[in-house]
Amino acid sequence: MGALAIPVTDLPAYTPHLKGTIEALNDAVEEMFLTSLPRYTGRQKLTGGRLADPDAPPLTYEAFVGLLLDWVTWWNTRHHPAALNGKTPVQAWQADASPLTDVAAGQTATFAPEDDGRMYTISTSGVRWRRRDHLAPWMNGRTVTKVSVRHLPHHDDTIEVFDAATGRHLGSAFLAAAASREQIRSVQAARTAAARRLKADLKAAEKLRRRRFEASTTAAPPRPLSSSTSAQAEEELSATAQTDRRTLARPDLVPHGPAPKTWARHGGHTV
């Protein structure tokens, strides 16, 4: 943290109220901004679970970002938190005489991203990480160099590459052959449809799994209620077996061989 010019203050464990600067800001965004937006899911509902504004049109993403930026401007320039003794956050920032230090990109790459602990080799295709190639112009002339990789959580399209021997930051590398926006939208739509099918199947399976029993007036073993015929039971068992076989099937495990040759006699010659 010293390389980032950040003073370190040890605080006692299990005291979130002493460490909640970011959490408090997020809470202020929720309580002061999000609650005023249409269709806010955390708003208290009316009798019967009805929403207070069921007919309110939803915000577009662009409109939401614009309103959020307006709120941030208000917070920084016109809001007077009690902890700042009548100053706005911008006034408190400008009145703070603490020096600012510019930190090199290599240092931020060292401290911020996660390290998976493995070693990689730069090839002509770049760095092969998570079964995908990452390239950068600075890799020219560094083939067979042993490197380590760091990355930001949820942002694996860009990786930070370090020399495995010295730990020196070599540079950033970017995902090669990245999918287009249309491909990404198609993949997301397919994933959403698959998730909906799985949820529907799970709901139906859970409903079928429930067992009901007859009412008892004497101390006797429970007697289940049967709502299926023998034919229905056999049909469901057969369908389950077919599904299991399809799951275990690997049609691409054995590669297809060359097409068989056709032998025929034509004019005394074999074709």
Side-chain angles (χ1 to χ4, degrees):
M1 303 304 290
L4 302 180
I6 299 177
V8 178
T9 303
D10 293 331
L11 295 176
Y14 305 107
T15 53
H17 61 284
L18 299 179
K19 312 173 186 179
T21 303
I22 301 300
E23 289 78 1
L25 181 58
N26 290 338
D27 188 63
V29 172
E30 181 174 357
E31 294 183 356
M32 302 175 67
F33 171 67
L34 297 182
T35 55
S36 64
L37 299 181
R39 297 195 181 188
Y40 173 59
T41 57
R43 184 180 296 123
Q44 189 173 6
K45 296 181 180 180
L46 303 178
T47 304
R50 295 180 295 109
L51 297 176
D53 54 351
D55 300 326
L59 290 175
T60 63
Y61 180 76
E62 293 81 359
F64 168 75
V65 173
L67 291 175
L68 177 58
L69 293 178
D70 291 341
W71 183 88
V72 171
T73 300
W74 169 84
W75 174 277
N76 288 328
T77 61
R78 299 192 299 276
H79 180 51
H80 299 271
L84 298 183
N85 300 320
K87 296 180 180 179
T88 65
V90 167
Q91 291 172 340
W93 173 268
Q94 293 173 343
D96 191 344
S98 301
L100 297 178
T101 303
D102 292 331
V103 181
Q107 290 179 312
T108 58
T110 300
F111 290 105
E114 296 180 346
D115 184 4
D116 62 359
R118 297 179 58 186
M119 186 179 297
Y120 301 86
T121 303
I122 297 179
S123 67
T124 54
S125 301
V127 176
R128 186 73 173 176
W129 181 69
R130 290 186 176 178
R131 300 185 299 174
R132 303 188 301 180
D133 293 325
H134 291 71
L135 287 169
W138 60 262
M139 291 183 180
N140 293 332
R142 296 180 180 269
T143 307
V144 307
T145 302
K146 300 295 182 181
V147 297
S148 60
V149 170
R150 296 174 180 265
H151 70 99
L152 288 172
H154 314 298
H155 294 274
D156 53 1
D157 56 336
T158 303
I159 59 175
E160 303 297 335
V161 184
F162 297 81
D163 188 293
T166 64
R168 184 170 61 90
H169 181 237
L170 299 178
S172 303
F174 307 93
L175 181 64
S180 64
R181 290 182 178 271
E182 292 74 15
Q183 290 174 319
I184 293 175
R185 281 196 292 265
S186 298
V187 170
Q188 291 295 341
R191 290 175 178 174
T192 300
R196 288 174 179 171
R197 288 195 300 269
L198 290 174
K199 288 180 180 179
D201 292 343
L202 180 61
K203 185 177 180 179
E206 185 65 23
K207 183 178 179 180
L208 293 173
R209 192 180 65 86
R210 297 194 188 112
R211 298 184 63 189
R212 298 185 180 275
F213 298 87
E214 295 181 356
S216 299
T217 57
T218 60
R223 298 179 59 183
L225 290 172
S226 177
S227 58
S228 299
T229 64
S230 177
Q232 289 175 328
E234 291 295 336
E235 182 180 357
E236 185 170 343
L237 290 174
S238 176
T240 302
Q242 291 180 2
T243 302
D244 292 341
R245 285 194 292 270
R246 285 195 296 268
T247 303
L248 295 174
R250 295 293 185 270
D252 56 344
L253 184 60
V254 179
H256 295 289
K261 296 180 179 179
T262 302
W263 298 92
R265 286 284 181 177
H266 179 71
H269 299 280
T270 301
V271 180

Short mmCIF file of all heavy atoms in Angstrom, two decimals, residues 119-146:
data_model
loop_
_atom_site.label_atom_id
_atom_site.label_comp_id
_atom_site.label_asym_id
_atom_site.label_seq_id
_atom_site.Cartn_x
_atom_site.Cartn_y
_atom_site.Cartn_z
N MET A 119 2.30 -20.75 -14.10
CA MET A 119 3.29 -20.18 -15.00
C MET A 119 2.89 -20.48 -16.45
O MET A 119 2.39 -21.56 -16.76
CB MET A 119 4.67 -20.78 -14.73
CG MET A 119 5.80 -20.14 -15.54
SD MET A 119 7.41 -20.85 -15.15
CE MET A 119 7.54 -20.39 -13.41
N TYR A 120 3.08 -19.49 -17.32
CA TYR A 120 2.71 -19.62 -18.72
C TYR A 120 3.90 -19.28 -19.60
O TYR A 120 4.91 -18.74 -19.12
CB TYR A 120 1.53 -18.69 -19.05
CG TYR A 120 0.30 -18.97 -18.23
CD1 TYR A 120 0.15 -18.39 -16.96
CD2 TYR A 120 -0.70 -19.81 -18.69
CE1 TYR A 120 -0.98 -18.66 -16.20
CE2 TYR A 120 -1.83 -20.08 -17.93
CZ TYR A 120 -1.96 -19.50 -16.70
OH TYR A 120 -3.07 -19.77 -15.94
N THR A 121 3.77 -19.60 -20.89
CA THR A 121 4.84 -19.35 -21.85
C THR A 121 4.30 -18.51 -22.99
O THR A 121 3.24 -18.81 -23.55
CB THR A 121 5.41 -20.66 -22.40
OG1 THR A 121 5.88 -21.46 -21.32
CG2 THR A 121 6.56 -20.38 -23.36
N ILE A 122 5.02 -17.45 -23.35
CA ILE A 122 4.63 -16.64 -24.50
C ILE A 122 4.96 -17.40 -25.78
O ILE A 122 6.10 -17.84 -25.97
CB ILE A 122 5.35 -15.28 -24.49
CG1 ILE A 122 4.95 -14.47 -23.24
CG2 ILE A 122 5.02 -14.48 -25.73
CD1 ILE A 122 5.64 -13.13 -23.13
N SER A 123 3.99 -17.58 -26.63
CA SER A 123 4.18 -18.26 -27.91
C SER A 123 3.87 -17.28 -29.04
O SER A 123 3.60 -16.09 -28.80
CB SER A 123 3.27 -19.49 -28.01
OG SER A 123 1.91 -19.10 -28.07
N THR A 124 3.91 -17.78 -30.25
CA THR A 124 3.58 -16.92 -31.40
C THR A 124 2.12 -16.50 -31.38
O THR A 124 1.74 -15.54 -32.06
CB THR A 124 3.89 -17.66 -32.70
OG1 THR A 124 3.20 -18.92 -32.70
CG2 THR A 124 5.39 -17.91 -32.84
N SER A 125 1.29 -17.22 -30.63
CA SER A 125 -0.13 -16.87 -30.51
C SER A 125 -0.41 -16.03 -29.28
O SER A 125 -1.56 -15.71 -29.00
CB SER A 125 -0.99 -18.15 -30.46
OG SER A 125 -0.81 -18.93 -31.62
N GLY A 126 0.63 -15.70 -28.52
CA GLY A 126 0.45 -14.91 -27.30
C GLY A 126 0.51 -15.79 -26.08
O GLY A 126 1.26 -16.78 -26.02
N VAL A 127 -0.27 -15.45 -25.07
CA VAL A 127 -0.34 -16.21 -23.83
C VAL A 127 -1.65 -16.99 -23.81
O VAL A 127 -2.73 -16.38 -23.92
CB VAL A 127 -0.24 -15.29 -22.60
CG1 VAL A 127 -0.43 -16.10 -21.31
CG2 VAL A 127 1.10 -14.59 -22.57
N ARG A 128 -1.56 -18.30 -23.69
CA ARG A 128 -2.75 -19.15 -23.64
C ARG A 128 -3.22 -19.23 -22.20
O ARG A 128 -2.60 -19.86 -21.36
CB ARG A 128 -2.39 -20.54 -24.17
CG ARG A 128 -3.57 -21.48 -24.31
CD ARG A 128 -4.44 -21.09 -25.47
NE ARG A 128 -5.49 -22.07 -25.72
CZ ARG A 128 -6.43 -21.92 -26.64
NH1 ARG A 128 -6.42 -20.84 -27.42
NH2 ARG A 128 -7.36 -22.81 -26.82
N TRP A 129 -4.33 -18.57 -21.91
CA TRP A 129 -4.84 -18.51 -20.53
C TRP A 129 -6.33 -18.81 -20.56
O TRP A 129 -7.08 -18.20 -21.32
CB TRP A 129 -4.57 -17.12 -19.94
CG TRP A 129 -5.04 -16.95 -18.54
CD1 TRP A 129 -4.52 -17.53 -17.42
CD2 TRP A 129 -6.11 -16.12 -18.09
NE1 TRP A 129 -5.22 -17.12 -16.31
CE2 TRP A 129 -6.20 -16.25 -16.69
CE3 TRP A 129 -7.01 -15.28 -18.75
CZ2 TRP A 129 -7.14 -15.58 -15.94
CZ3 TRP A 129 -7.95 -14.61 -17.99
CH2 TRP A 129 -8.01 -14.75 -16.60
N ARG A 130 -6.74 -19.79 -19.77
CA ARG A 130 -8.13 -20.22 -19.72
C ARG A 130 -8.65 -20.62 -21.11
O ARG A 130 -9.74 -20.25 -21.52
CB ARG A 130 -9.03 -19.15 -19.10
CG ARG A 130 -8.79 -18.96 -17.61
CD ARG A 130 -9.81 -18.00 -17.01
NE ARG A 130 -9.64 -17.89 -15.57
CZ ARG A 130 -10.36 -17.09 -14.77
NH1 ARG A 130 -11.31 -16.32 -15.31
NH2 ARG A 130 -10.16 -17.06 -13.48
N ARG A 131 -7.79 -21.34 -21.83
CA ARG A 131 -8.11 -21.88 -23.16
C ARG A 131 -8.37 -20.78 -24.20
O ARG A 131 -9.01 -21.02 -25.22
CB ARG A 131 -9.32 -22.83 -23.10
CG ARG A 131 -9.09 -24.03 -22.19
CD ARG A 131 -10.25 -24.98 -22.25
NE ARG A 131 -11.49 -24.34 -21.81
CZ ARG A 131 -12.68 -24.93 -21.87
NH1 ARG A 131 -12.80 -26.14 -22.39
NH2 ARG A 131 -13.76 -24.29 -21.42
N ARG A 132 -7.86 -19.58 -23.94
CA ARG A 132 -8.01 -18.48 -24.89
C ARG A 132 -6.69 -17.75 -25.01
O ARG A 132 -5.92 -17.67 -24.06
CB ARG A 132 -9.12 -17.51 -24.43
CG ARG A 132 -10.47 -18.19 -24.23
CD ARG A 132 -11.56 -17.19 -23.97
NE ARG A 132 -11.31 -16.35 -22.81
CZ ARG A 132 -12.14 -15.40 -22.41
NH1 ARG A 132 -13.26 -15.16 -23.08
NH2 ARG A 132 -11.87 -14.68 -21.33
N ASP A 133 -6.43 -17.24 -26.23
CA ASP A 133 -5.18 -16.54 -26.49
C ASP A 133 -5.33 -15.05 -26.21
O ASP A 133 -6.33 -14.43 -26.58
CB ASP A 133 -4.76 -16.74 -27.95
CG ASP A 133 -4.40 -18.18 -28.25
OD1 ASP A 133 -3.84 -18.84 -27.35
OD2 ASP A 133 -4.68 -18.66 -29.37
N HIS A 134 -4.29 -14.48 -25.55
CA HIS A 134 -4.23 -13.05 -25.28
C HIS A 134 -2.96 -12.51 -25.91
O HIS A 134 -1.86 -13.06 -25.70
CB HIS A 134 -4.23 -12.77 -23.77
CG HIS A 134 -5.54 -13.08 -23.12
ND1 HIS A 134 -5.99 -14.38 -22.94
CD2 HIS A 134 -6.52 -12.27 -22.62
CE1 HIS A 134 -7.17 -14.35 -22.34
NE2 HIS A 134 -7.51 -13.09 -22.13
N LEU A 135 -3.09 -11.44 -26.68
CA LEU A 135 -1.99 -10.89 -27.46
C LEU A 135 -1.70 -9.44 -27.10
O LEU A 135 -2.57 -8.74 -26.55
CB LEU A 135 -2.31 -10.97 -28.96
CG LEU A 135 -2.26 -12.37 -29.61
CD1 LEU A 135 -2.86 -12.30 -30.99
CD2 LEU A 135 -0.83 -12.87 -29.66
N ALA A 136 -0.50 -8.99 -27.43
CA ALA A 136 -0.11 -7.59 -27.28
C ALA A 136 1.12 -7.34 -28.14
O ALA A 136 1.95 -8.25 -28.34
CB ALA A 136 0.18 -7.25 -25.83
N PRO A 137 1.28 -6.13 -28.69
CA PRO A 137 2.44 -5.84 -29.55
C PRO A 137 3.78 -6.04 -28.84
O PRO A 137 4.77 -6.41 -29.47
CB PRO A 137 2.23 -4.38 -29.95
CG PRO A 137 0.75 -4.16 -29.81
CD PRO A 137 0.33 -5.01 -28.66
N TRP A 138 3.84 -5.78 -27.53
CA TRP A 138 5.12 -5.89 -26.83
C TRP A 138 5.63 -7.33 -26.74
O TRP A 138 6.80 -7.56 -26.35
CB TRP A 138 5.00 -5.30 -25.42
CG TRP A 138 3.97 -5.96 -24.54
CD1 TRP A 138 2.71 -5.52 -24.32
CD2 TRP A 138 4.14 -7.16 -23.79
NE1 TRP A 138 2.05 -6.37 -23.47
CE2 TRP A 138 2.91 -7.40 -23.14
CE3 TRP A 138 5.18 -8.06 -23.61
CZ2 TRP A 138 2.71 -8.49 -22.31
CZ3 TRP A 138 4.99 -9.17 -22.78
CH2 TRP A 138 3.76 -9.36 -22.15
N MET A 139 4.81 -8.31 -27.10
CA MET A 139 5.24 -9.71 -27.04
C MET A 139 6.19 -10.09 -28.17
O MET A 139 6.80 -11.18 -28.13
CB MET A 139 4.02 -10.64 -27.07
CG MET A 139 3.17 -10.57 -25.83
SD MET A 139 1.80 -11.75 -25.89
CE MET A 139 1.00 -11.42 -24.32
N ASN A 140 6.32 -9.25 -29.19
CA ASN A 140 7.22 -9.55 -30.29
C ASN A 140 8.66 -9.70 -29.78
O ASN A 140 9.17 -8.83 -29.06
CB ASN A 140 7.18 -8.44 -31.35
CG ASN A 140 5.85 -8.38 -32.05
OD1 ASN A 140 5.15 -9.39 -32.17
ND2 ASN A 140 5.46 -7.19 -32.54
N GLY A 141 9.31 -10.80 -30.14
CA GLY A 141 10.67 -11.06 -29.69
C GLY A 141 10.77 -11.68 -28.32
O GLY A 141 11.89 -11.87 -27.82
N ARG A 142 9.65 -11.99 -27.68
CA ARG A 142 9.68 -12.58 -26.33
C ARG A 142 9.14 -14.01 -26.32
O ARG A 142 8.70 -14.50 -25.28
CB ARG A 142 8.86 -11.73 -25.36
CG ARG A 142 9.42 -10.32 -25.14
CD ARG A 142 8.56 -9.55 -24.16
NE ARG A 142 9.05 -8.22 -23.92
CZ ARG A 142 9.91 -7.89 -22.96
NH1 ARG A 142 10.38 -8.83 -22.17
NH2 ARG A 142 10.30 -6.65 -22.80
N THR A 143 9.17 -14.69 -27.45
CA THR A 143 8.69 -16.07 -27.52
C THR A 143 9.47 -16.95 -26.55
O THR A 143 10.67 -16.74 -26.33
CB THR A 143 8.83 -16.61 -28.95
OG1 THR A 143 8.20 -15.69 -29.85
CG2 THR A 143 8.17 -17.95 -29.10
N VAL A 144 8.76 -17.92 -25.94
CA VAL A 144 9.25 -18.89 -24.94
C VAL A 144 9.57 -18.25 -23.60
O VAL A 144 10.10 -18.92 -22.71
CB VAL A 144 10.45 -19.72 -25.45
CG1 VAL A 144 10.16 -20.37 -26.78
CG2 VAL A 144 11.72 -18.88 -25.53
N THR A 145 9.29 -16.97 -23.43
CA THR A 145 9.48 -16.33 -22.12
C THR A 145 8.46 -16.87 -21.13
O THR A 145 7.26 -16.95 -21.41
CB THR A 145 9.34 -14.80 -22.24
OG1 THR A 145 10.29 -14.31 -23.17
CG2 THR A 145 9.55 -14.14 -20.88
N LYS A 146 8.92 -17.25 -19.94
CA LYS A 146 8.04 -17.74 -18.89
C LYS A 146 7.43 -16.55 -18.14
O LYS A 146 8.17 -15.64 -17.70
CB LYS A 146 8.81 -18.62 -17.91
CG LYS A 146 9.43 -19.86 -18.55
CD LYS A 146 8.36 -20.80 -19.08
CE LYS A 146 8.98 -22.06 -19.66
NZ LYS A 146 7.96 -23.00 -20.21
#
